[in-house]
Amino acid sequence: MIFTIWRMRKSMCGIAGFIQDLNSDSQRKIVTDMTDVIAHRGPDSAGVFADGHAALGFRRLGIIDLDGGNQPIFNEDDSLAITFNGEMYNYRPLRDQLIELGHTFTTHSDTEVVLHGYEQWGAEVLHRIRGMFAFVIWDIKAHALFGVWGERSFRN
């Protein structure tokens, strides 16, 4: 599976990636090439993740948490990785709720709220978040991808 999501609005970041068993150096090179194609989407920073099974890439246009919102972002035990493109309108109250439930945040970004929300509620997080976004979450231990784009979602 190969995905590139970047056409939502001109003023939004871009994400790309694929699932294929390759050595992580090869994956990193391929996903970097993919994100270089969409460099105009995110002039503020770029990030990649590759684990030999999946690769995620990101180009960032910094809007929220300019210093701490670089991606991919990982959960507390590094078992989940997310790339997120868009804006979540209700992330602050959800962040507070997730902190009360015991989650630890390393950023103030809406992206990390989606990640911990998925960790807490699974796919049901989609019933709690509001906004315009696309994201993919890679479960590193289970080798499973969960992704959403607009009204569509996909899993492998």
Side-chain angles (χ1 to χ4, degrees):
M1 172 186 288
I2 298 173
F3 56 89
T4 303
I5 302 171
W6 59 275
R7 292 188 175 143
M8 291 176 65
R9 287 192 332 208
K10 289 182 180 179
S11 61
M12 296 179 83
C13 311
I15 64 177
F18 61 92
I19 300 171
Q20 183 176 359
D21 289 343
L22 291 170
N23 71 63
S24 59
D25 289 337
S26 295
Q27 286 181 325
R28 205 170 278 106
K29 167 75 170 102
I30 293 166
V31 80
T32 297
D33 289 347
M34 292 170 75
T35 58
D36 285 350
V37 171
I38 58 172
H40 62 285
R41 304 293 300 175
D44 296 330
S45 70
V48 299
F49 164 80
D51 70 355
H53 303 289
L56 307 177
F58 184 73
R59 285 297 199 157
R60 182 165 190 234
L61 175 65
I63 297 171
I64 297 174
D65 193 6
L66 300 180
D67 295 327
N70 293 328
Q71 297 183 36
I73 292 177
F74 299 87
N75 65 335
E76 298 98 335
D77 68 359
D78 291 332
S79 63
L80 298 172
I82 186 172
T83 55
F84 175 93
N85 174 9
E87 182 179 5
M88 194 171 81
Y89 308 135
N90 63 332
Y91 78 96
R92 286 186 179 110
L94 284 177
R95 184 179 193 277
D96 293 342
Q97 183 180 7
L98 288 161
I99 289 170
E100 287 178 20
L101 291 168
H103 291 270
T104 302
F105 286 78
T106 59
T107 75
H108 295 283
S109 69
D110 51 358
T111 302
E112 193 174 11
V113 172
V114 174
L115 180 65
H116 289 296
Y118 178 79
E119 186 178 23
Q120 181 70 37
W121 301 300
E124 293 299 310
V125 70
L126 297 177
H127 298 292
R128 296 173 182 261
I129 58 179
R130 302 287 176 265
M132 182 173 67
F133 47 80
F135 65 86
V136 292
I137 296 173
W138 176 245
D139 186 324
I140 296 164
K141 293 179 182 176
H143 298 167
L145 184 77
F146 178 75
V148 173
W149 177 35
E151 297 297 317
R152 302 179 188 165
S153 64
F154 57 90
R155 291 188 205 195
N156 75 326

